[in-house]
Amino acid sequence: MRETSYLQKQPYFGAVVGRVANRIAKGTFTLDGKEYKLAINNGPNSLHGGVRGFDKVLWTPRMLSNGVQFSRVSPDGEEGYPGELKVWVTYMLDGGELMINYRAQASRTTPVNLTNHSYFNLAGQGSPNIYDHEVIIEADAFLPVDETLIPTGEVAPVQGTAFDLRKPVELGKHLQDFHLNGFDHNFCLKGSKEKHFCAWVRHAGSGRLLEVYTTQPGVQFYTGNFLDGALKGKGGAVYPKHSGFCLETQNWPDAVNQPHFPPVLLRPGEEYDHTTWFKFSVA
């Protein structure tokens, strides 16, 4: 029963997302001269791996001393993607820091972009919105999008725009000042594949602080714009618009169709290996 209700309608609460997180324009891409057609499940586009993405399949768990590893094999042709993909996602808890490592190996060249889609509200379970959260995102550029939320191809400086989050902004006031419906955009991080600072979120009322570090080149900052209060969580809490935020560390959206974006293709013999750290504290 629980599995059935999750598969019916869930906005990816807490899920691993793949084979390719975020959107691929018109659900198509061309690789080595062959066009691949993916499931269309978000307007005219393919989102988060398709109709039955990595969030809607069973994984094999393996217990670790301070964590758990989940693995699965995505078969050749799953949701339209080429090649078999072996995937391992490892969660490790060290004090107040949660580390998530993603590894993958492909039998044929395929795009791969894995992320975690957890929603956070640092005010606590059942809090109605995130307007009193302060946010920093360490990005000098972001990706403008079209009306279907596909990047236009421009890599735009954040300077002088609503997307300049390099110094703390209070979310509710910031959305109001710039007349924004919310954020659902990729912020362009440092190109380094080493661990680097990504984002900082603080809830002043409780003193709770979340810091995010990653090896990825981007992060999708999403403010729960499509939450509508229809779902009930623990304690009967509902999740209306702007009741949670996501920091989805990732490669840039639609990179498979945008050659000047960071490379998203995984080839046989290579290993996809990325890590994100969520560090929680009280300040």
Side-chain angles (χ1 to χ4, degrees), residues 37-56:
K37 293 185 182 297
L38 310 172
I40 304 296
N41 63 333
N42 185 254
N45 306 314
S46 185
L47 174 69
H48 291 332
V51 174
R52 191 170 182 265
F54 285 10
D55 62 301
K56 295 182 179 67

Side-chain angles (χ1 to χ4, degrees), residues 21-40:
N22 218 301
R23 293 171 178 85
I24 292 179
K26 298 182 174 57
T28 65
F29 63 90
T30 300
L31 188 55
D32 298 329
K34 181 180 177 183
E35 185 181 50
Y36 290 88
K37 293 185 182 297
L38 310 172
I40 304 296

